Amino acid sequence: MLYKFLKSTTLKLLLLVCTVLATLIISALLFNSQVDKLKKQIDIIYFANLIPIIKLQIIADNYQEIVSCRKVKFNCDFKKEQEIIFQEWDYYYNAYKTKDEKIVVDTINQEIIDSFKENKYTVFLNILKRIDFLIKYETQEAFKQRKTFLEDYEEMKNYLFYNIVTILILSFAVIVFIILQVIKKDKQLTVLNKKYQIEAITDGMTQLYNRKYFDTIFDNMPFISNANNWQCAFIMVDIDYFKQYNDTYGHDMGDIALKKVAQTLKEYFSKKYEFVFRLGGEEFGVILFDINENILENCLKDMNKKILELQIEHKNSKILDVISISMGAIIYNPNSYISANKLYKFADESLYKSKENGRNQYHIYNEGK
């Protein structure tokens, strides 16, 4: 049961759907993870580079106020500026720093604290220069971070692109494989269906069309003839003294003889609109569309000769020492509206006349004679 399910088309289609869904989900997760990584880098550039520069600029502006005041007079009230400087510096100082940045910032941190203790113009001026240095330093770091970001972005874009392409190729390969399997299965089913269709209308031993298919074609023969304005013919063929052949040579040899006669009929009547059937036992039927009496008579003569040319020994035949056939035929003229049952009856009567007249011959039914 499990093995059948694993081999089934249903499983292959489920696998196809799952592959498509998995591809979409993996691509979405991959894209989402890379976007998150990109967001973090943007945050670093903005909050670790842009914000510090703004903070340092505020500190520098307030120091500039103090320096401008101290340049003119000794006693200056810079409590407000001092408060802003400490507040902004505290934010800047505690923000994320690389190892190299930390060394530089730690030195200046102590100088800022000491500057307000010393309260000297030169000290404030020096701190202002140090803050300007930090602004330039942070600006340079921002450029470096931007360059790194662009490189990472390009690498990330390529990584994302190649991974998605790889996923799509693998998914496409799986989908193609599944589709090919489904197509293969469908072809197998088509072949099997055709095989079963052929087997349903074929006689197993002689490989001629069977009686069931004969009934279908023969019943429609008058309608086909009328619709196409064709003359059509039906021939009944019977192997002469076949019972005696089986009694003499056995049924196995009888089957071989049947196959040889059937093959000869099949090869001779092999054109379009020519159908050969095994009606039962040693009896065969031939339906010919779009034919006339002259062609039919030539065919019947040829068939008598070709069966004799097989030289199948039949020492207990009452007419020859080889197998022969007797035939009865009838031509259906379009729009004559003779039923299929009557056609069969007339052909059978013609076959009987061939047998009655000595066998190994044919008789064509003629209503006027």
Side-chain angles (χ1 to χ4, degrees):
M1 186 75 177
L2 180 62
Y3 178 77
K4 285 184 179 178
F5 177 70
L6 292 174
K7 287 282 186 179
S8 68
T9 304
T10 304
L11 179 64
K12 290 182 175 68
L13 292 174
L14 285 173
L15 186 58
L16 177 63
V17 172
C18 290
T19 301
V20 173
L21 287 174
T23 302
L24 294 173
I25 291 168
I26 292 170
S27 299
L29 290 173
L30 186 64
F31 183 78
N32 190 59
S33 67
Q34 295 304 307
V35 168
D36 283 344
K37 186 178 177 183
L38 188 65
K39 177 181 174 293
K40 288 177 183 177
Q41 286 189 295
I42 293 171
D43 285 346
I44 289 170
I45 291 173
Y46 183 75
F47 291 104
N49 297 110
L50 179 62
I51 298 298
I53 291 172
I54 294 171
K55 297 293 183 183
L56 288 172
Q57 191 60 57
I58 293 170
I59 294 169
D61 291 343
N62 282 275
Y63 263 115
Q64 185 62 52
E65 290 288 332
I66 295 170
V67 168
S68 298
C69 180
R70 290 302 306 274
K71 189 175 182 180
V72 178
K73 55 184 179 178
F74 180 78
N75 291 321
C76 290
D77 184 12
F78 47 77
K79 286 182 181 180
K80 182 181 176 182
E81 286 79 2
Q82 182 181 350
E83 185 180 340
I84 293 170
I85 287 169
F86 280 137
Q87 182 180 339
E88 298 298 331
W89 178 258
D90 184 65
Y91 179 94
Y92 170 76
Y93 181 75
N94 291 305
Y96 170 79
K97 299 286 184 295
T98 63
K99 188 177 179 181
D100 293 336
E101 286 176 329
K102 197 70 175 170
I103 293 170
V104 175
V105 171
D106 281 342
T107 305
I108 299 174
N109 179 57
Q110 193 59 48
E111 291 178 5
I112 289 174
I113 295 169
D114 293 340
S115 67
F116 288 101
K117 290 178 181 177
E118 295 180 24
N119 195 17
K120 292 181 180 178
Y121 169 77
T122 54
V123 172
F124 288 133
L125 187 61
N126 184 58
I127 291 294
L128 182 59
K129 291 177 182 178
R130 298 285 275 167
I131 296 299
D132 286 339
F133 163 77
L134 272 180
I135 291 172
K136 290 176 183 178
Y137 180 78
E138 288 288 353
T139 304
Q140 288 175 353
E141 285 299 311
F143 277 113
K144 287 180 184 178
Q145 288 288 342
R146 182 180 179 278
K147 184 181 178 182
T148 304
F149 168 76
L150 290 176
E151 290 172 354
D152 288 347
Y153 171 77
E154 195 64 32
E155 186 179 333
M156 187 189 305
K157 186 175 76 172
N158 292 334
Y159 169 80
L160 194 62
F161 173 76
Y162 290 123
N163 272 276
I164 290 175
V165 167
T166 303
I167 291 168
L168 290 174
I169 289 171
L170 290 174
S171 301
F172 181 74
V174 172
I175 291 167
V176 167
F177 173 75
I178 293 169
I179 290 171
L180 288 175
Q181 289 297 308
V182 172
I183 291 171
K184 183 180 176 183
K185 192 80 173 177
D186 185 62
K187 283 184 177 178
Q188 289 174 341
L189 290 172
T190 303
V191 169
L192 285 174
N193 189 41
K194 285 182 179 178
K195 181 184 175 184
Y196 291 138
Q197 285 177 347
I198 291 168
E199 287 179 352
I201 62 172
T202 305
D203 175 63
M205 187 176 71
T206 62
Q207 299 304 305
L208 299 178
Y209 293 122
N210 60 20
R211 182 61 188 248
K212 183 181 177 182
Y213 192 53
F214 167 77
D215 291 338
T216 302
I217 300 294
F218 188 69
D219 288 346
N220 286 284
M221 189 177 79
F223 303 105
I224 295 169
S225 175
N226 296 339
N228 294 281
N229 199 32
W230 286 342
Q231 281 188 309
C232 301
F234 170 52
I235 308 168
M236 289 185 75
V237 182
D238 191 82
I239 300 176
D240 296 327
Y241 301 109
F242 192 69
K243 183 181 182 302
Q244 287 82 349
Y245 185 91
N246 276 332
D247 292 342
T248 305
Y249 299 98
H251 286 281
D252 288 343
M253 290 300 292
D255 289 347
I256 292 171
L258 276 174
K259 289 177 183 177
K260 287 182 178 179
V261 172
Q263 186 62 29
T264 303
L265 291 169
K266 188 175 181 180
E267 287 175 358
Y268 186 79
F269 296 109
S270 58
K271 295 176 184 176
K272 195 175 182 182
Y273 307 128
E274 296 180 346
F275 299 85
V276 185
F277 309 86
R278 186 186 181 197
L279 302 181
E282 71 276 16
E283 194 171 72
F284 303 95
V286 181
I287 295 176
L288 307 172
F289 290 100
D290 192 17
I291 197 169
N292 58 51
E293 190 167 350
N294 289 332
I295 294 173
L296 174 62
E297 190 158 6
N298 288 331
C299 289
L300 295 171
K301 287 178 183 177
D302 286 344
M303 284 316 304
N304 275 132
K305 290 178 184 178
K306 286 189 176 293
I307 297 302
L308 294 178
E309 286 170 0
L310 292 174
Q311 291 293 298
I312 303 170
E313 183 186 276
H314 190 355
K315 62 185 179 183
N316 282 331
S317 172
K318 295 179 181 179
I319 53 170
L320 296 165
D321 58 358
V322 293
I323 278 181
S324 60
I325 58 171
S326 297
M327 292 176 284
I330 183 169
I331 287 183
Y332 176 85
N333 292 303
N335 302 311
S336 57
Y337 299 107
I338 302 172
S339 69
N341 287 337
K342 282 189 176 181
L343 287 171
Y344 193 89
K345 181 185 175 185
F346 293 153
D348 192 42
E349 288 176 2
S350 298
L351 175 61
Y352 179 76
K353 286 183 180 180
S354 295
K355 290 182 178 182
E356 195 177 47
N357 291 337
R359 306 195 186 220
N360 185 34
Q361 58 185 274
Y362 63 87
H363 182 80
I364 300 173
Y365 180 84
N366 190 317
E367 196 171 2
K369 295 181 183 179

